[in-house]
C-alpha cells in the first residue's frame, strides 16, 4: 500500500508525476493528520529529534545549502521516497528554503528550471523561494 498525503490539505504540493510532498514551517505546530514517513529538514543548525526518519541539510535562513552536492542527494532521496512514503520538506518558516527545495524537486520531476519557481508559487505558496539567489539556484538546478 502506498502512503500518501491528503492532496487537498494545506501545504501539500502535487508534482507533475502525481507525487505529493508536504512543505511546512517548523515554527508552526505539526498539522493534524498523518505524520511523515520521511522528512527533509533545511536548517542552519541540527533540528530536534522526531518520531519518524529524517535527514538534515545545513541550510542557513535566506541562503543556499552549505553543501550543494549533499543537498542535491537529499532532494533526490526525498523525491524517490515520495513515490511510496509521506515525505515532508521543512525549514523554519516554510517559504524560502522549503520553497526552494520543492522547486528543485519539481525540476527533478520534469519541470523546466526556469518555470519551477512559478510552479511552486502556484501550487504550494505564493511567497515560496524568497531571494534572488534562491531563484537562481533553482533555475540552474538539475
Amino acid at each position: 500500500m502506498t502512503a500518501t498525503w491528503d492532496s487537498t490539505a494545506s501545504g501539500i504540493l502535487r508534482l507533475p508525476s502525481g507525487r505529493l510532498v508536504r512543505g511546512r514551517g517548523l515554527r508552526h505546530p505539526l498539522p493534524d493528520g498523518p505524520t511523515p514517513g520521511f522528512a527533509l529538514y533545511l536548517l542552519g543548525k541540527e533540528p530536534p529529534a522526531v518520531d519518524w526518519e529524517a535527514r538534515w541539510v545545513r541550510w542557513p535562513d535566506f541562503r543556499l545549502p552549505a553543501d550543494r552536492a549533499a543537498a542535491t542527494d537529499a532532494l533526490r532521496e526525498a523525491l524517490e521516497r515520495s513515490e511510496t512514503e509521506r515525505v515532508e520538506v521543512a525549514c523554519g518558516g516554510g517559504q524560502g528554503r522549503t520553497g526552494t527545495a520543492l522547486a528543485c524537486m519539481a525540476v527533478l520531476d520534469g519541470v523546466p528550471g526556469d518555470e519551477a519557481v512559478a510552479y511552486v508559487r502556484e501550487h504550494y505558496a505564493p511567497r515560496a523561494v524568497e531571494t534572488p539567489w534562491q531563484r537562481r539556484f533553482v533555475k540552474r538546478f538539475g
Side-chain angles (χ1 to χ4, degrees):
M1 182 173 180
T2 301
T4 189
W5 298 109
D6 174 1
S7 64
T8 63
S10 176
I12 304 297
L13 173 67
R14 180 180 294 277
L15 294 165
S17 64
R19 296 174 186 195
L20 302 174
V21 179
R22 179 171 77 188
R24 79 175 179 103
L26 294 172
R27 290 192 297 264
H28 308 291
L30 186 67
D32 291 335
T35 57
F38 175 76
L40 179 57
Y41 295 130
L42 316 166
L43 299 166
K45 61 181 183 176
E46 191 169 358
V50 291
D51 293 334
W52 45 86
E53 189 177 351
R55 185 168 175 180
W56 169 50
V57 170
R58 185 180 302 277
W59 193 328
D61 202 7
F62 296 108
R63 304 209 186 270
L64 297 174
D67 181 336
R68 293 180 189 188
T72 298
D73 182 62
L75 292 166
R76 288 183 191 282
E77 179 183 2
L79 179 65
E80 182 179 314
R81 293 178 76 148
S82 70
E83 186 173 3
T84 58
E85 298 176 62
R86 285 186 298 272
V87 170
E88 171 177 271
V89 175
C91 64
Q95 299 291 318
R97 292 167 286 180
T98 296
T100 302
L102 292 174
C104 290
M105 290 175 71
V107 170
L108 293 172
D109 202 51
V111 176
D114 60 349
E115 298 173 19
V117 171
Y119 182 88
V120 169
R121 286 179 174 172
E122 179 181 348
H123 298 285
Y124 169 67
R127 292 181 22 227
V129 191
E130 294 175 315
T131 68
W133 42 92
Q134 288 172 341
R135 289 190 296 275
R136 187 170 48 250
F137 181 74
V138 171
K139 188 173 184 177
R140 296 176 179 170
F141 188 81

